[in-house]
Amino acid sequence: MYTPEDIEQIISSREHALLEFKGASAGFDITKRADYCAGIANAGGGKILFGVDDNGKIVGTSIYSGTVEKIPNNVHQKIGLWVSVEEVNHASGRIVVFDIPRRPIGRLIKSCGRFLTRKGESLVEMSEEDIRRALNEIAPDFSAQFITGFSISDLDDIAVQNFKKRRADKLGNPA
């Protein structure tokens, strides 16, 4: 749970690719909200602070008043990603914080048919190279890790024979 002091510390780091300020004193377009969430998730995860202007001044907001608890599900329905949404009452005004996680490894978040990301403070469509790089990511290969204290005698003979046969079949080389 964020405190007013946490908000001041976040604001002091200024806007960047993973931190967006939106004044949004009375409203914010649902499609743009989805776009920003997708873009920040694709860039590595971050935050949007509604009720803070581009200069980092707290202006307060009335958006999502009484409906904050519904927003994570609304965002999930739009882009397939769960975000955390929280209200913070600061002396200078009410702020709504979106905590946006990083996209899953090897998967991109799409908004309105587009893969978006952040480049500096801008929301842009991902380049073909960025898309290709992200989709080619893989989860860590646990079979490639070294296990201390492990020896060849720890392997199951039947499993090793099965592996050799499958590998030979795959390579088309019985040797």
Side-chain angles (χ1 to χ4, degrees), residues 18-167:
L18 304 179
L19 178 61
E20 178 68 24
F21 301 153
K22 291 292 177 194
S25 59
F28 195 74
D29 181 71
I30 292 171
T31 300
K32 285 189 87 137
R33 178 181 73 193
D35 288 351
Y36 274 97
C37 288
I40 290 172
N42 286 332
K47 297 179 186 350
I48 303 174
L49 272 63
F50 293 97
V52 178
D53 71 13
D54 288 340
N55 297 317
K57 180 181 177 200
I58 297 172
V59 295
T61 184
S62 63
I63 63 169
Y64 316 127
S65 185
T67 63
V68 167
E69 65 282 348
K70 294 179 182 177
I71 301 305
N73 189 49
N74 295 136
V75 172
H76 185 265
Q77 288 175 347
K78 284 274 192 197
I79 65 171
L81 183 75
W82 289 100
V83 300
S84 173
V85 181
E86 186 178 326
E87 292 176 285
V88 180
N89 290 313
H90 189 281
S92 300
R94 177 178 168 272
I95 298 163
V96 177
V97 181
F98 278 43
D99 265 317
I100 304 157
R102 182 190 190 281
R103 65 175 172 73
I105 291 173
R107 181 176 158 240
L108 290 170
I109 304 299
K110 189 184 286 190
S111 178
C112 299
R114 300 176 301 157
F115 294 118
L116 301 168
T117 192
R118 297 277 291 186
K119 297 289 183 186
E121 294 179 20
S122 298
L123 184 65
V124 298
E125 284 197 54
M126 294 181 81
S127 68
E128 287 182 23
E129 180 59 31
D130 288 340
I131 293 169
R132 190 176 307 110
R133 188 177 318 116
L135 295 177
N136 285 328
E137 293 172 346
I138 58 169
D141 181 1
F142 296 107
S143 69
Q145 295 180 356
F146 289 97
I147 301 171
T148 57
F150 184 82
S151 72
I152 198 74
S153 64
D154 293 323
L155 293 175
D156 179 75
D157 289 332
I158 295 171
V160 171
Q161 290 171 8
N162 187 24
F163 173 78
K164 286 180 177 180
K165 180 182 180 333
R166 287 178 181 219
R167 185 71 177 158

